[in-house]
Coordinates of all heavy atoms in Angstrom, one line a residue:
G17 N 18.6 -12.5 -5.6 CA 17.7 -11.4 -5.5 C 17.2 -11.2 -4.0 O 17.8 -11.7 -3.1
R18 N 16.2 -10.4 -3.9 CA 15.6 -10.1 -2.5 C 14.1 -10.3 -2.6 O 13.4 -10.0 -3.6 CB 15.9 -8.7 -2.1 CG 17.3 -8.4 -1.9 CD 17.6 -7.0 -1.6 NE 19.1 -6.8 -1.6 CZ 19.7 -6.4 -0.5 NH1 19.1 -6.1 0.6 NH2 21.1 -6.2 -0.6
E19 N 13.5 -11.0 -1.6 CA 12.1 -11.2 -1.6 C 11.3 -10.0 -1.0 O 11.9 -9.2 -0.2 CB 11.8 -12.5 -0.7 CG 12.4 -13.7 -1.3 CD 12.0 -15.0 -0.6 OE1 11.3 -14.8 0.5 OE2 12.4 -16.1 -0.9
M20 N 10.1 -9.9 -1.3 CA 9.2 -8.9 -0.8 C 8.4 -9.4 0.4 O 7.7 -8.7 1.0 CB 8.3 -8.3 -1.8 CG 9.0 -7.4 -2.9 SD 10.1 -6.2 -2.1 CE 8.9 -5.2 -1.2
L21 N 8.4 -10.7 0.7 CA 7.7 -11.3 1.8 C 8.0 -10.6 3.1 O 9.2 -10.5 3.5 CB 8.0 -12.8 1.9 CG 7.3 -13.7 0.9 CD1 7.9 -15.1 1.0 CD2 5.8 -13.7 1.1
G22 N 7.0 -10.0 3.7 CA 7.2 -9.4 5.0 C 7.9 -8.1 5.0 O 8.2 -7.5 6.0
K23 N 8.2 -7.5 3.8 CA 8.9 -6.2 3.7 C 7.9 -5.1 3.8 O 6.7 -5.3 3.8 CB 9.7 -6.1 2.3 CG 10.7 -7.1 2.2 CD 11.9 -6.9 3.1 CE 13.2 -7.6 2.7 NZ 13.1 -9.0 2.6
K24 N 8.5 -3.9 3.9 CA 7.6 -2.6 4.0 C 7.6 -2.0 2.6 O 8.7 -1.8 2.0 CB 8.2 -1.7 5.0 CG 8.0 -2.2 6.5 CD 8.6 -1.2 7.5 CE 8.4 -1.8 8.9 NZ 8.9 -0.8 9.9
V25 N 6.4 -1.7 2.2 CA 6.3 -1.0 0.8 C 5.6 0.3 1.0 O 4.5 0.4 1.7 CB 5.4 -2.0 -0.1 CG1 5.2 -1.2 -1.4 CG2 6.1 -3.3 -0.3
G26 N 6.1 1.3 0.4 CA 5.5 2.6 0.5 C 4.9 3.0 -0.9 O 5.6 2.9 -1.9
I27 N 3.7 3.4 -0.8 CA 3.0 3.9 -2.1 C 2.7 5.3 -2.0 O 2.0 5.8 -1.1 CB 1.7 3.0 -2.3 CG1 2.0 1.5 -2.4 CG2 1.0 3.5 -3.5 CD1 0.8 0.6 -2.4
L28 N 3.3 6.1 -2.9 CA 3.0 7.6 -2.9 C 1.9 7.8 -3.9 O 2.1 7.6 -5.1 CB 4.3 8.3 -3.3 CG 5.5 8.0 -2.5 CD1 6.7 8.9 -2.9 CD2 5.3 8.1 -1.0
G29 N 0.7 8.2 -3.4 CA -0.4 8.4 -4.3 C -1.3 7.2 -4.2 O -1.0 6.1 -4.6
F30 N -2.5 7.4 -3.6 CA -3.4 6.2 -3.3 C -4.7 6.4 -4.0 O -5.8 6.2 -3.5 CB -3.6 6.1 -1.8 CG -3.8 4.6 -1.4 CD1 -2.8 3.7 -1.6 CD2 -4.9 4.2 -0.8 CE1 -3.0 2.3 -1.2 CE2 -5.1 2.9 -0.4 CZ -4.2 2.0 -0.6
G31 N -4.6 6.6 -5.4 CA -5.8 6.6 -6.2 C -6.0 5.2 -6.7 O -5.6 4.2 -6.0
N32 N -6.7 5.0 -7.9 CA -7.0 3.7 -8.4 C -5.7 2.8 -8.5 O -5.8 1.6 -8.2 CB -7.7 3.8 -9.7 CG -9.1 4.3 -9.5 OD1 -9.8 4.2 -8.5 ND2 -9.6 5.0 -10.5
I33 N -4.7 3.4 -9.1 CA -3.5 2.6 -9.3 C -2.8 2.2 -8.0 O -2.4 1.0 -7.8 CB -2.5 3.3 -10.3 CG1 -3.2 3.5 -11.6 CG2 -1.2 2.5 -10.4 CD1 -2.4 4.4 -12.6
G34 N -2.6 3.2 -7.1 CA -2.0 2.9 -5.8 C -2.8 1.8 -5.0 O -2.2 1.0 -4.4
R35 N -4.1 1.8 -5.1 CA -4.9 0.9 -4.4 C -4.8 -0.5 -5.0 O -4.7 -1.5 -4.3 CB -6.4 1.3 -4.4 CG -6.7 2.5 -3.6 CD -8.1 3.1 -3.9 NE -8.2 4.5 -3.4 CZ -8.7 4.9 -2.3 NH1 -9.2 4.0 -1.4 NH2 -8.7 6.1 -2.0
K36 N -4.7 -0.6 -6.3 CA -4.5 -1.9 -6.9 C -3.2 -2.5 -6.6 O -3.0 -3.7 -6.4 CB -4.7 -1.8 -8.5 CG -6.2 -1.6 -8.8 CD -6.4 -1.7 -10.3 CE -7.9 -1.4 -10.5 NZ -8.5 -2.0 -11.6
L37 N -2.2 -1.6 -6.5 CA -0.8 -2.1 -6.2 C -0.8 -2.6 -4.8 O -0.2 -3.6 -4.5 CB 0.2 -1.0 -6.4 CG 1.7 -1.3 -6.1 CD1 2.1 -2.4 -7.0 CD2 2.5 -0.1 -6.1
A38 N -1.5 -1.9 -3.9 CA -1.6 -2.3 -2.5 C -2.2 -3.7 -2.4 O -1.7 -4.6 -1.6 CB -2.4 -1.4 -1.7
R39 N -3.2 -4.0 -3.2 CA -3.8 -5.3 -3.2 C -2.9 -6.4 -3.7 O -2.8 -7.5 -3.1 CB -5.1 -5.3 -4.0 CG -6.3 -4.6 -3.4 CD -7.6 -5.0 -4.0 NE -7.8 -4.6 -5.4 CZ -8.2 -3.3 -5.8 NH1 -8.5 -2.5 -4.8 NH2 -8.3 -3.1 -7.0
L40 N -2.1 -6.1 -4.7 CA -1.1 -7.0 -5.2 C 0.0 -7.3 -4.1 O 0.3 -8.5 -3.9 CB -0.4 -6.5 -6.4 CG -1.2 -6.4 -7.7 CD1 -0.5 -5.6 -8.8 CD2 -1.6 -7.7 -8.2
F41 N 0.4 -6.3 -3.4 CA 1.5 -6.5 -2.4 C 0.9 -7.2 -1.2 O 1.7 -7.9 -0.5 CB 2.2 -5.2 -2.0 CG 3.4 -4.9 -2.9 CD1 3.3 -3.8 -3.7 CD2 4.5 -5.7 -2.9 CE1 4.4 -3.5 -4.5 CE2 5.6 -5.4 -3.6 CZ 5.6 -4.3 -4.5
S42 N -0.4 -7.1 -0.9 CA -0.9 -7.8 0.2 C -0.7 -9.3 0.1 O -0.6 -10.1 1.1 CB -2.4 -7.5 0.4 OG -3.2 -8.0 -0.7
G43 N -0.6 -9.8 -1.1 CA -0.4 -11.3 -1.3 C 1.0 -11.7 -0.9 O 1.3 -12.9 -0.8
F44 N 1.9 -10.7 -0.7 CA 3.3 -11.0 -0.2 C 3.4 -10.8 1.3 O 4.6 -10.8 1.8 CB 4.3 -10.2 -1.0 CG 4.4 -10.5 -2.5 CD1 3.6 -9.9 -3.4 CD2 5.3 -11.5 -2.9 CE1 3.7 -10.2 -4.7 CE2 5.4 -11.8 -4.2 CZ 4.6 -11.2 -5.1
D45 N 2.3 -10.6 1.9 CA 2.3 -10.3 3.4 C 3.2 -9.1 3.7 O 3.9 -9.0 4.7 CB 2.8 -11.5 4.2 CG 1.8 -12.7 4.2 OD1 0.6 -12.4 4.1 OD2 2.2 -13.8 4.2
A46 N 3.2 -8.2 2.8 CA 4.0 -6.9 2.9 C 3.2 -6.0 3.8 O 2.0 -6.0 3.9 CB 4.2 -6.3 1.6
E47 N 4.0 -5.2 4.6 CA 3.4 -4.1 5.4 C 3.3 -2.9 4.5 O 4.4 -2.4 4.0 CB 4.3 -3.9 6.6 CG 3.6 -3.1 7.7 CD 4.5 -3.0 8.9 OE1 5.5 -3.8 9.0 OE2 4.3 -2.1 9.8
I48 N 2.2 -2.4 4.2 CA 2.0 -1.3 3.2 C 1.7 0.0 3.8 O 0.7 0.1 4.6 CB 0.9 -1.7 2.2 CG1 1.2 -3.1 1.6 CG2 0.7 -0.7 1.1 CD1 0.0 -3.8 0.9
Y49 N 2.5 1.0 3.4 CA 2.3 2.3 3.9 C 1.8 3.2 2.7 O 2.4 3.0 1.6 CB 3.6 2.9 4.4 CG 4.1 2.3 5.7 CD1 4.8 1.0 5.7 CD2 4.0 2.9 6.9 CE1 5.3 0.5 6.8 CE2 4.5 2.3 8.1 CZ 5.1 1.1 8.0 OH 5.5 0.5 9.2
A50 N 0.9 4.1 2.9 CA 0.4 4.9 1.9 C 0.5 6.4 2.2 O 0.2 6.8 3.4 CB -1.1 4.6 1.6
Y51 N 0.9 7.2 1.2 CA 1.0 8.6 1.4 C 0.1 9.2 0.3 O 0.3 9.0 -0.9 CB 2.4 9.2 1.2 CG 2.5 10.6 1.1 CD1 2.3 11.5 2.1 CD2 2.5 11.2 -0.2 CE1 2.3 12.9 2.0 CE2 2.5 12.6 -0.4 CZ 2.4 13.4 0.7 OH 2.4 14.8 0.6
D52 N -0.8 10.0 0.8 CA -1.7 10.8 -0.1 C -2.4 11.9 0.7 O -3.0 11.6 1.7 CB -2.8 9.8 -0.8 CG -3.5 10.5 -1.9 OD1 -4.0 11.6 -1.7 OD2 -3.6 9.9 -3.0
P53 N -2.2 13.1 0.3 CA -2.7 14.2 1.1 C -4.2 14.1 1.3 O -4.8 14.7 2.3 CB -2.4 15.5 0.3 CG -1.3 15.1 -0.6 CD -1.5 13.6 -0.9
F54 N -4.9 13.4 0.4 CA -6.4 13.3 0.5 C -6.9 12.0 1.1 O -8.1 11.8 1.2 CB -7.0 13.5 -0.9 CG -6.6 14.8 -1.6 CD1 -5.6 14.7 -2.5 CD2 -7.1 16.0 -1.2 CE1 -5.2 15.9 -3.2 CE2 -6.6 17.2 -1.8 CZ -5.7 17.1 -2.8
L55 N -6.0 11.2 1.6 CA -6.3 9.9 2.2 C -6.8 10.0 3.6 O -6.2 10.7 4.4 CB -5.1 9.0 2.1 CG -5.3 7.5 2.4 CD1 -6.2 6.9 1.4 CD2 -3.9 6.9 2.3
T56 N -7.9 9.3 3.9 CA -8.5 9.3 5.3 C -8.1 8.0 6.0 O -7.8 7.0 5.3 CB -10.0 9.5 5.3 OG1 -10.6 8.3 4.7 CG2 -10.4 10.7 4.5
E57 N -8.2 8.1 7.3 CA -7.9 6.9 8.1 C -8.8 5.8 7.8 O -8.5 4.6 7.8 CB -7.9 7.2 9.6 CG -6.8 8.2 10.1 CD -5.5 7.6 10.1 OE1 -5.3 6.4 9.9 OE2 -4.5 8.4 10.2
E58 N -10.1 6.2 7.5 CA -11.1 5.2 7.2 C -10.8 4.4 5.9 O -10.9 3.2 5.8 CB -12.5 5.8 7.1 CG -13.1 6.4 8.4 CD -12.4 7.7 8.8 OE1 -11.9 8.4 7.9 OE2 -12.5 8.0 10.0
Q59 N -10.3 5.2 4.9 CA -9.9 4.6 3.6 C -8.7 3.7 3.8 O -8.7 2.6 3.2 CB -9.6 5.7 2.6 CG -10.8 6.5 2.1 CD -10.5 7.7 1.3 OE1 -9.4 8.4 1.6 NE2 -11.2 8.0 0.3
C60 N -7.8 4.0 4.6 CA -6.6 3.2 4.9 C -7.1 1.9 5.5 O -6.6 0.8 5.1 CB -5.7 3.9 5.8 SG -4.7 5.2 5.0
A61 N -7.9 2.0 6.5 CA -8.4 0.8 7.2 C -9.1 -0.1 6.2 O -8.9 -1.3 6.3 CB -9.3 1.2 8.4
A62 N -10.0 0.4 5.4 CA -10.7 -0.4 4.4 C -9.7 -1.1 3.4 O -10.0 -2.2 3.0 CB -11.7 0.5 3.6
A63 N -8.6 -0.4 3.1 CA -7.6 -1.0 2.1 C -6.6 -1.8 2.8 O -5.8 -2.4 2.1 CB -7.0 0.1 1.3
G64 N -6.6 -1.8 4.1 CA -5.6 -2.6 4.9 C -4.2 -2.1 4.8 O -3.2 -2.8 4.8

């Protein structure tokens, strides 16, 4: 298989589900990218 440690993960849609997924992937030291037309830089910073 392939590990997710240190990999880049893209999340399309950063509502409740997208944010929870981001928290899960943070445990793998993944670099998380988020796409959402309504997402602000402040929200991104708060979610890491």
